[in-house]
C-alpha cells in the first residue's frame, strides 16, 4: 500500500541519488528564497483563518490535479504564487496533494512568473517531503519564485520553446531605521539561501551563483540546461507539411501496427457487422412475413404472416405467446433490438495467432486496411481538437488586447462557440461587448496582453520614462574635432547623450509607447502592474493616483502583484540613478589621463603607496647565487579616502505636476557636480604642492636633502618648442633610487612627457603650439617640424586659481605614479541610498561617493613658472 504523503519518509523510502552529482541531492529541506521578498510575515486575521479552513476543502483555480496514469499524479501550476485564494498558494497545494493521495509518482506542470517567496518556500518543502519521484515540467515559463518550487523536484524538464528566469531577492519595507536595517539583513539572508539552493542544483559555487543573481537571467531551455538548472529539454512535436488535394491519397498509407492490434480491430469490426446484419435480416423478415420469393412482399390485399421460427425466437425474448401475426409483427418492429442482441454468428470467429513476422493487413470490401480506417478516424478527431484549441488561443489573444486584465465573465466561452462563423464574427462580438461595458474614463491606457510577463511590461515602461528623462538632458561638454586638418570645437547634442548612455539596442521592446506619457499616466500604468484594478485606477483623481503609486492611500487590488516593490518607485529610482550617472560621466574630469585611478579600497584605513616608478635596473645574476632582492623606496606616501554626500528628495506632488526635472534635470546636475568634485580633489593634490615622504615638496625648484633633481623651471617663457624641449630633457634624465650610501643613482629612467597642461589663459597658446604642423616660432615655415605635436593638451580652469601663467608636463600614469586617486569599492561612480519618508510622502536619495587623491612620485611631473 502506498504511504500517505503527509508521513515522513522511512528507512525504506526512495534512496538518495549519488553524491557526486550535486543536482540530485534532495535529502534535506532547505528554506531557500527566490523572487520577491515581502515584508515581515504577519499573523492572519480571524476572517483569513476562516477562509483558509474553507480553502483546505478545495484547490484554487490556479492548481489543477488529476490522475495521469494509474499511480502517477499530475498538478498543474499555472498562474501567480501568492496567499490569495485564486492564485497558487501553499494551502491549495496541500489540498492538491491530498486529492492525489496514494500516488507513487508526481508530475508538476508549470507556467508561472513567480510571486510570494514564503508561499513558494512552503510548497518547496511539501514537494521535498513527497516520498516518490517528482518531475517538474516547464511548459511555458518558470520565473522567480516558481524556479524555487522546481528545485525541489528530482528531475526538471522544459519544453524547447519555454523560458526560465532566476534573480536575487527583491522587496520593500516600511518602518524605523532599525527595522529597515533588519530588513536589509533579511534580503541578504534571502540572497544567500537563494544562491545556495541554485548552487546545489547546478553544481556551481555559491560565489559564482551570487554574482549571477545580481540581474534578471532570462534563459531558453537550452541555456537553462547548459547552466545546470534543468535536466532535459523536451523537443517539440514535428509538424508535417500540408498535403494538397492532388496528393491527398499519399496521406493515407498503411500504418505499421502489430498483428495483435490488427486482429483485435478486425474482430471488433466483424462482430459489429454481424449484429447489424442480423438486425437487418429480422427487419426484412418481419416486413416480408412468410413471403420467401422474389415478388413484392406484404401485398395490401393479404394479411401479414409471421414465420413460426421467428415467432418462437420473439416469444423467447419476451413477446406474449397469444399475439396474432399482426400484433407479433408490430411487437417485432418495436423490439427487434432485443432479438438482434441474442443473435450470434453462425460461424465462430477464430482468433488469429500473433505472427512473429509482419503479415498482410486484413482489408474491408473497399480495399482500405483496418489500420488506415482507424488512423483516418484518429486524424480527423485530432484535427478537430487542434483547430478548436488554436481558435480558442486566437480568441483569447483578441480578448486580451481589447480588455487587458478586465475580461467580462463568460465572454471567451461565448466567442469560442462562434468557431464556425470565423474570427471576423468574434471581433464584431468583442467590439459590441466593448461598447456595452466600457466606462467613459478618458486618459491614456495601453493594454498589455494578459499572458505577457509583468517584468516585460515594467521594462518597457521604465525604458520609456528613461528615454524621456535622458532626452531632457542638457550636455555640459564640448570636444575638439579634426575637420579637414582644422581642429574645431563641437558642442554635444542631447540626442548624442541619449544614444551614448542608453543606446537603442539596449531599450526594451515597445518602450516608445511610454516615452511621451505624462508622469500621472505612468503612475496609472504602475498601479495596474502592481495589481490594482484598471477601472478603479482610471476613476482616481491625480493626487489620489500619485499617492497610491508611491505607496499610500488607494484600496488594494483583488489579486497580489508578483513583486511588492512599487513599480513607480522602481522607475523613478532607475531614472535618478541613470541620469545621475550620465551627468557624472559627461562632467569634464581632466584628471583622467595625467593622473592614475588606483585599485579601489575596501575601507577607510590608511593607504600606503611605494614609488614603483623608481625601481632599480635589473642587476647581473651571478651563477650559483640567489638573485638580489629588489630595492624599492622606503619613502611610502600615505592617505585615506573620505566620504562626500548630498540629498535629493521629491514628493507625490511631482507626479501631479508632471515635474520630470525632479528625476532627470536635478540628478543630472548633481551628477555633474559629483564629477567636478572628483576633478577638484584630484588637482588639489598637485596645486597644494604637498610635502612628500622624502621631506621635500612635490614641485621642487632647487634640489635638497635626499632629492638630487628638480622638477620646477623658473624664468619667463610660454610653451614653445625650446621651453618644452628643455623640460622634456629634465624629465627624461630623472634617476632611479638613491644608492645605499645616499648618493644619486646612475640609473636613467628616460620618462617621456605625454600631456601638456595649462590654465585657461594659456589655452590658445598651448593649442596653437600643439596642433600646428610647423613650429609656430618659425613663422609657419613648413620645413621646421613642430616637435610639440607629440603632446596631448589639457586645459584646466582650476589651475587659474594658482597661477595664470604656469604650465606643466605630465608622464603617462602607467609609467610613473605621479598622482593617484583611489575610490572606496562600489563607489567608483556616485552611489544612491533610497528611502521613503511616510510623514512627507516623499522619496529621498542620498548621493554618496568616497575617494581621495595623493601625490606619489615627483619624477612624472615638470612645472614651468611661465611668462610673467
Amino acid at each position: 500500500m502506498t504511504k500517505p504523503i503527509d508521513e515522513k519518509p522511512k528507512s525504506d523510502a526512495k534512496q538518495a541519488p549519488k553524491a557526486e552529482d550535486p543536482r540530485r541531492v534532495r535529502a534535506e529541506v532547505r528554506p531557500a528564497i527566490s523572487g520577491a521578498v515581502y515584508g515581515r510575515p504577519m499573523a492572519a486575521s480571524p476572517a483569513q483563518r476562516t477562509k483558509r479552513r474553507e480553502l483546505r476543502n478545495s484547490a484554487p483555480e490556479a492548481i489543477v490535479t488529476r490522475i495521469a496514469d494509474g499511480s502517477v499524479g499530475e498538478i498543474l501550476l499555472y498562474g501567480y504564487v501568492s496567499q490569495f485564494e485564486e492564485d497558487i498558494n501553499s494551502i491549495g497545494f496541500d489540498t492538491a496533494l491530498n486529492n492525489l493521495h496514494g500516488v507513487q509518482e508526481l508530475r508538476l506542470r508549470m507556467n508561472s512568473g513567480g510571486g510570494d517567496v514564503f508561499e513558494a518556500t512552503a510548497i518547496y518543502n511539501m514537494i521535498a517531503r513527497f516520498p516518490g519521484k517528482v518531475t517538474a515540467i516547464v511548459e511555458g515559463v518558470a520565473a522567480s519564485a516558481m524556479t524555487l518550487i522546481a528545485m525541489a523536484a528530482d528531475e526538471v524538464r522544459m519544453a524547447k520553446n519555454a523560458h526560465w528566469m532566476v534573480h536575487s531577492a527583491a522587496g520593500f519595507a516600511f518602518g524605523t531605521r532599525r527595522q529597515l536595517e533588519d530588513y536589509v539583513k533579511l534580503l541578504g539572508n534571502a540572497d544567500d539561501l537563494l544562491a545556495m539552493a541554485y548552487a546545489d542544483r547546478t553544481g556551481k559555487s555559491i560565489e559564482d551563483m551570487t554574482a549571477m543573481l545580481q540581474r534578471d537571467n532570462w534563459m531558453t531551455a537550452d541555456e537553462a540546461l547548459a547552466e545546470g538548472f534543468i535536466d532535459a529539454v523536451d523537443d517539440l512535436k514535428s509538424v508535417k507539411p500540408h498535403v494538397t488535394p492532388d496528393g491527398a491519397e499519399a496521406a493515407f498509407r498503411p500504418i505499421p501496427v502489430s498483428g495483435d492490434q490488427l486482429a483485435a480491430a478486425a474482430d471488433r469490426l466483424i462482430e459489429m457487422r454481424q449484429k447489424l446484419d442480423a438486425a437487418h435480416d429480422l427487419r426484412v423478415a418481419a416486413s416480408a412475413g412468410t413471403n420467401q420469393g422474389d415478388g413484392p412482399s406484404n401485398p395490401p390485399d393479404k394479411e401479414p404472416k409471421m414465420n413460426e421460427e421467428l415467432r418462437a425466437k420473439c416469444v423467447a425474448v419476451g413477446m406474449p405467446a397469444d399475439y396474432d401475426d399482426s400484433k407479433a409483427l408490430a411487437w417485432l418492429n418495436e423490439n427487434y433490438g432485443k432479438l438482434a442482441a441474442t443473435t450470434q454468428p453462425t460461424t465462430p470467429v477464430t482468433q488469429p495467432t500473433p505472427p512473429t513476422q509482419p503479415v498482410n493487413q486484413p482489408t474491408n470490401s473497399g480495399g482500405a486496411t483496418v489500420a488506415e480506417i482507424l488512423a483516418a478516424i484518429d486524424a480527423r478527431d485530432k484535427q478537430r481538437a487542434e483547430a478548436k484549441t488554436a481558435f480558442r488561443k486566437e480568441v483569447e489573444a483578441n480578448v486580451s488586447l481589447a480588455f487587458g486584465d478586465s475580461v467580462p465573465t463568460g465572454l471567451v466561452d461565448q466567442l469560442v462557440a462562434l468557431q464556425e462563423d470565423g474570427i471576423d464574427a468574434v471581433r464584431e462580438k468583442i467590439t459590441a461587448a466593448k461598447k456595452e461595458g466600457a466606462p467613459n474614463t478618458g486618459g491614456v491606457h495601453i493594454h498589455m496582453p494578459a499572458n505577457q510577463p509583468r517584468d516585460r511590461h515594467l521594462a518597457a515602461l521604465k525604458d520609456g520614462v528613461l528615454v524621456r528623462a535622458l532626452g531632457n538632458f542638457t550636455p555640459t561638454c564640448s570636444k575638439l574635432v579634426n575637420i579637414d586638418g582644422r581642429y574645431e570645437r563641437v558642442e554635444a547634442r542631447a540626442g548624442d547623450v541619449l544614444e551614448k548612455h542608453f543606446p537603442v539596442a539596449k531599450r526594451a521592446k515597445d518602450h516608445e509607447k511610454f516615452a511621451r506619457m505624462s508622469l500621472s499616466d505612468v503612475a496609472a500604468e504602475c498601479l495596474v502592474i502592481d495589481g490594482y484594478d484598471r477601472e478603479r485606477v482610471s476613476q482616481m483623481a491625480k493626487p489620489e493616483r500619485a499617492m497610491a503609486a508611491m505607496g499610500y492611500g488607494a484600496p488594494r487590488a483583488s489579486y497580489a502583484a508578483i513583486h511588492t516593490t512599487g513599480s513607480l518607485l522602481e522607475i523613478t529610482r532607475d531614472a535618478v540613478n541613470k541620469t545621475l550617472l550620465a551627468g557624472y560621466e559627461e562632467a569634464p574630469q581632466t584628471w583622467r589621463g595625467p593622473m592614475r585611478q588606483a585599485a579601489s579600497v575596501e575601507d577607510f584605513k590608511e593607504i600606503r603607496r611605494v614609488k614603483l616608478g623608481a625601481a632599480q635596473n635589473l642587476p647581473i645574476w651571478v651563477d650559483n647565487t640567489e638573485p638580489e632582492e629588489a630595492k624599492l623606496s622606503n619613502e611610502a606616501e600615505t592617505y585615506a579616502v573620505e566620504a562626500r554626500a548630498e540629498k535629493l528628495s521629491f514628493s507625490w506632488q511631482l507626479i501631479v505636476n508632471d515635474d520630470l526635472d525632479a528625476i532627470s534635470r536635478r540628478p543630472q546636475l548633481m551628477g555633474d557636480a559629483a564629477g567636478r568634485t572628483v576633478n577638484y580633489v584630484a588637482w588639489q593634490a598637485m596645486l597644494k604642492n604637498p610635502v612628500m615622504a622624502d621631506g621635500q615638496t612635490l614641485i621642487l625648484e632647487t634640489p635638497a636633502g635626499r632629492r638630487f633633481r628638480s622638477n620646477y623651471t623658473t624664468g619667463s617663457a610660454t610653451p614653445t618648442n625650446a621651453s618644452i624641449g628643455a623640460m622634456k630633457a629634465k624629465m627624461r634624465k630623472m634617476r632611479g633610487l638613491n644608492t645605499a650610501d645616499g648618493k644619486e643613482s646612475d640609473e636613467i629612467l628616460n620618462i617621456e612627457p605625454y600631456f601638456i597642461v595649462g590654465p585657461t589663459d594659456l589655452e590658445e597658446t598651448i593649442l596653437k603650439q600643439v596642433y600646428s604642423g610647423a613650429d609656430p616660432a618659425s613663422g609657419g615655415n613648413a620645413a621646421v617640424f613642430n616637435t610639440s605635436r607629440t603632446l596631448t593638451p589639457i586645459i584646466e580652469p582650476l589651475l587659474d586659481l594658482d597661477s595664470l601663467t604656469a604650465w606643466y608636463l605630465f608622464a603617462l600614469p602607467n609609467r610613473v605614479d605621479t598622482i593617484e586617486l583611489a575610490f572606496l569599492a562600489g563607489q567608483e561612480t556616485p552611489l544612491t541610498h533610497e528611502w521613503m519618508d511616510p510623514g512627507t510622502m516623499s522619496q529621498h536619495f542620498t548621493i554618496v561617493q568616497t575617494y581621495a587623491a595623493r601625490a606619489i612620485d615627483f619624477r612624472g611631473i615638470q612645472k614651468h613658472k611661465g611668462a610673467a
Side-chain angles (χ1 to χ4, degrees):
M1 180 176 181
T2 305
K3 293 177 292 185
I5 60 173
D6 54 353
E7 290 183 358
K8 295 183 178 180
K10 299 180 181 179
S11 58
D12 60 344
K14 179 178 55 178
Q15 295 296 320
K18 297 181 180 179
E20 59 265 19
D21 186 356
R23 296 177 301 169
R24 299 272 58 81
V25 178
R26 195 167 61 90
E28 63 173 332
V29 179
R30 180 181 293 110
I33 295 183
S34 173
V37 176
Y38 286 71
R40 294 180 302 280
M42 299 171 61
S45 66
Q48 290 173 325
R49 291 195 293 270
T50 300
K51 189 65 177 179
R52 291 190 176 193
R53 283 195 296 270
E54 295 174 357
L55 284 175
R56 291 190 182 277
N57 298 323
S58 61
E61 295 177 1
I63 300 178
V64 179
T65 60
R66 67 190 183 98
I67 301 296
D69 182 17
S71 61
V72 180
E74 274 191 354
I75 298 181
L76 270 67
L77 301 176
Y78 274 39
Y80 301 145
V81 180
S82 80
Q83 295 182 356
F84 288 82
E85 58 186 84
E86 63 268 32
D87 293 332
I88 299 169
N89 57 72
S90 57
I91 295 176
F93 191 85
D94 180 67
T95 302
L97 283 177
N98 288 333
N99 290 342
L100 295 175
H101 182 78
V103 298
Q104 298 176 359
E105 184 178 339
L106 186 63
R107 287 203 294 257
L108 305 175
R109 294 169 53 189
M110 299 178 169
N111 182 29
S112 171
D116 187 330
V117 66
F118 297 121
E119 291 295 303
T121 302
I123 295 173
Y124 174 99
N125 291 333
M126 292 179 195
I127 297 171
R129 287 192 296 268
F130 182 76
K133 179 181 178 182
V134 179
T135 303
I137 304 172
V138 181
E139 298 181 326
V141 60
S144 191
M146 184 52 63
T147 62
L148 167 63
I149 297 175
M151 292 299 95
D154 294 291
E155 182 182 11
V156 183
R157 308 181 66 89
M158 280 184 67
K160 191 173 184 63
N161 58 349
H163 290 82
W164 181 274
M165 192 276 281
V166 294
H167 58 185
S168 60
F172 78 97
F174 172 81
T176 65
R177 174 182 174 182
R178 178 60 61 188
Q179 290 170 328
L180 293 178
E181 290 174 349
D182 291 342
Y183 187 70
V184 170
K185 181 179 179 181
L186 171 63
L187 285 176
N189 293 339
D191 285 343
D192 292 342
L193 293 173
L194 173 60
M196 185 164 52
Y198 290 137
D200 284 350
R201 166 69 62 166
T202 62
K204 298 178 183 292
S205 68
I206 292 180
E207 293 74 16
D208 290 344
M209 191 56 63
T210 299
M212 179 183 187
L213 296 180
Q214 296 308 305
R215 61 183 178 85
D216 290 351
N217 297 273
W218 284 98
M219 294 174 242
T220 63
D222 290 335
E223 290 169 339
L225 177 64
E227 292 291 342
F229 288 103
I230 67 172
D231 303 294
V233 177
D234 295 330
D235 290 332
L236 304 179
K237 184 175 181 179
S238 299
V239 178
K240 294 182 179 179
H242 172 70
V243 179
T244 61
D246 292 338
E249 64 280 359
F252 291 94
R253 295 175 180 173
I255 303 171
V257 292
S258 68
D260 287 344
Q261 291 174 316
L262 284 174
D267 289 346
R268 289 196 299 271
L269 290 174
I270 293 172
E271 182 180 356
M272 291 174 59
R273 180 61 181 267
Q274 288 174 336
K275 288 185 177 182
L276 290 174
D277 288 346
H280 175 71
D281 292 341
L282 290 176
R283 282 178 175 269
V284 171
S287 300
T290 58
N291 183 16
Q292 305 295 322
D294 295 330
S297 61
N298 295 334
D301 56 340
K302 293 184 179 180
E303 289 292 328
K305 298 289 184 179
M306 174 174 275
N307 181 281
E308 292 300 326
E309 182 181 355
L310 178 60
R311 174 184 289 276
K313 291 181 178 179
C314 290
V315 171
V317 294
M319 185 186 77
D322 57 351
Y323 274 12
D324 59 19
D325 288 342
S326 295
K327 290 182 179 181
L329 290 174
W331 181 92
L332 179 60
N333 280 330
E334 294 177 358
N335 300 276
Y336 74 90
K338 296 180 180 180
L339 191 62
T342 64
T343 304
Q344 300 295 329
T346 57
T347 304
V349 178
T350 303
Q351 297 292 337
T353 303
T356 56
Q357 300 293 331
V359 297
N360 294 330
Q361 298 177 2
T363 60
N364 61 16
S365 59
T369 67
V370 174
E372 288 175 339
I373 296 172
L374 296 177
I377 295 173
D378 290 343
R380 182 195 60 192
D381 293 342
K382 183 177 180 181
Q383 184 180 21
R384 290 177 178 176
E386 289 177 349
K388 186 174 182 179
T389 300
F391 188 75
R392 186 176 190 90
K393 289 182 178 179
E394 189 172 4
V395 167
E396 290 173 346
N398 281 269
V399 170
S400 296
L401 290 172
F403 293 95
D405 296 330
S406 305
V407 180
T409 303
L411 178 62
V412 172
D413 292 334
Q414 296 176 20
L415 298 176
V416 170
L418 300 176
Q419 182 174 358
E420 296 296 330
D421 298 329
I423 197 64
D424 290 337
V426 169
R427 289 169 180 160
E428 292 178 3
K429 182 76 172 179
I430 290 175
T431 302
K434 189 85 170 163
K435 290 180 180 179
E436 293 175 3
N440 185 16
T441 58
V444 179
H445 299 298
I446 299 178
H447 292 292
M448 307 297 286
N451 59 348
Q452 183 173 7
R454 178 258 190 195
D455 288 344
R456 192 177 302 170
H457 187 182
L458 178 59
L461 185 59
K462 182 189 298 182
D463 287 359
V465 172
L466 185 57
V467 165
R468 185 183 172 199
L470 288 176
N472 196 36
F473 194 105
T474 302
T476 57
C477 282
S478 60
K479 56 184 177 180
L480 288 173
V481 178
N482 190 330
I483 302 177
D484 297 330
R486 303 188 315 275
Y487 283 88
E488 298 182 6
R489 188 168 294 279
V490 177
E491 297 295 332
R493 299 171 299 177
D496 296 337
V497 174
L498 174 59
E499 181 61 24
K500 174 183 177 182
H501 295 282
F502 193 29
V504 173
K506 293 186 177 181
R507 301 173 198 171
K509 183 181 179 182
D510 297 329
H511 74 278
E512 62 276 0
K513 296 179 181 179
F514 307 100
R516 298 182 180 276
M517 186 176 281
S518 70
L519 291 183
S520 180
D521 288 329
V522 168
E525 288 295 318
C526 289
L527 286 172
V528 173
I529 290 175
D530 289 339
Y532 289 90
D533 180 71
R534 183 176 288 278
E535 183 177 354
R536 172 69 182 92
V537 171
S538 67
Q539 296 171 354
M540 293 181 181
K542 278 189 176 183
E544 182 186 9
R545 180 186 300 173
M547 286 187 286
M550 294 190 73
Y552 307 93
R556 288 304 307 271
S558 60
Y559 58 89
I562 297 179
H563 298 266
T564 56
T565 303
S567 298
L568 180 63
L569 301 184
E570 189 174 339
I571 288 173
T572 55
R573 180 193 308 118
D574 189 63
V576 167
N577 285 331
K578 290 188 177 178
T579 52
L580 173 73
L581 181 60
Y584 178 80
E585 293 180 350
E586 291 297 315
Q589 300 185 49
T590 58
W591 70 272
R592 298 184 183 277
M595 303 179 192
R596 171 178 175 268
Q597 180 175 336
S600 299
V601 297
E602 299 295 330
D603 49 41
F604 290 84
K605 295 179 182 178
E606 185 177 78
I607 304 169
R608 183 181 176 86
R609 295 286 191 243
V610 178
K611 295 178 177 62
L612 298 179
Q616 65 177 1
N617 292 346
L618 292 178
I620 296 174
W621 182 12
V622 180
D623 191 25
N624 292 325
T625 64
E626 289 287 334
E628 292 184 23
E629 188 76 23
K631 295 183 176 64
L632 298 180
S633 173
N634 292 325
E635 301 166 357
E637 303 297 335
T638 59
Y639 66 110
V641 296
E642 299 173 325
R644 298 168 183 268
E646 193 171 16
K647 188 173 77 170
L648 170 68
S649 305
F650 57 83
S651 71
W652 58 275
Q653 295 181 18
L654 84 90
I655 307 296
V656 177
N657 297 333
D658 197 27
D659 183 10
L660 189 66
D661 279 352
I663 59 175
S664 60
R665 179 63 176 157
R666 276 187 272 170
Q668 173 209 338
L669 295 178
M670 294 183 73
D672 181 84
R676 285 187 284 106
T677 306
V678 172
N679 197 60
Y680 173 82
V681 170
W683 285 109
Q684 284 299 304
M686 183 199 75
L687 293 175
K688 289 182 178 180
N689 198 21
V691 176
M692 310 289 286
D694 62 0
Q696 307 302 319
T697 57
L698 170 66
I699 307 295
L700 185 65
E701 177 182 354
T702 305
R706 299 190 302 274
R707 195 182 301 183
F708 295 94
R709 300 273 167 174
S710 73
N711 59 351
Y712 184 38
T713 302
T714 59
S716 179
T718 58
T720 64
N721 279 353
S723 59
I724 292 173
M727 294 173 66
K728 282 183 176 181
K730 292 180 66 176
M731 184 179 289
R732 287 185 183 275
K733 294 177 182 178
M734 283 291 174
R735 303 297 180 91
L737 292 174
N738 294 343
T739 61
D741 56 0
K743 294 181 180 180
E744 184 179 26
S745 172
D746 293 332
E747 298 163 349
I748 299 176
L749 300 179
N750 191 19
I751 302 172
E752 179 183 3
Y754 190 87
F755 300 95
I756 180 170
V757 182
T760 55
D761 273 29
L762 291 179
E763 182 171 5
E764 294 300 319
T765 301
I766 291 175
L767 296 182
K768 287 179 181 178
Q769 182 63 41
V770 172
Y771 291 134
S772 297
D775 184 357
S778 68
N781 185 353
V784 182
F785 179 70
N786 179 16
T787 57
S788 302
R789 295 191 69 183
T790 59
L791 297 174
T792 298
I794 293 178
I795 306 302
E796 177 49 64
L798 291 172
L799 302 184
D800 292 65
L801 302 177
D802 178 66
S803 171
L804 299 177
T805 59
W807 50 281
Y808 305 80
L809 296 183
F810 277 83
L812 280 171
N814 61 359
R815 182 76 194 283
V816 183
D817 298 333
T818 307
I819 297 172
E820 75 171 26
L821 191 144
F823 294 90
L824 187 67
Q827 297 188 23
E828 290 79 7
T829 57
L831 178 68
T832 59
H833 293 280
E834 176 204 8
W835 77 97
M836 290 294 299
D837 183 351
T840 61
M841 295 188 186
S842 298
Q843 190 175 12
H844 298 278
F845 293 88
T846 296
I847 300 171
V848 182
Q849 196 170 19
T850 304
Y851 52 88
R854 175 66 179 177
I856 304 299
D857 198 330
F858 68 92
R859 294 172 176 82
I861 184 173
Q862 286 285 333
K863 177 181 179 180
H864 200 295
K865 183 179 180 181

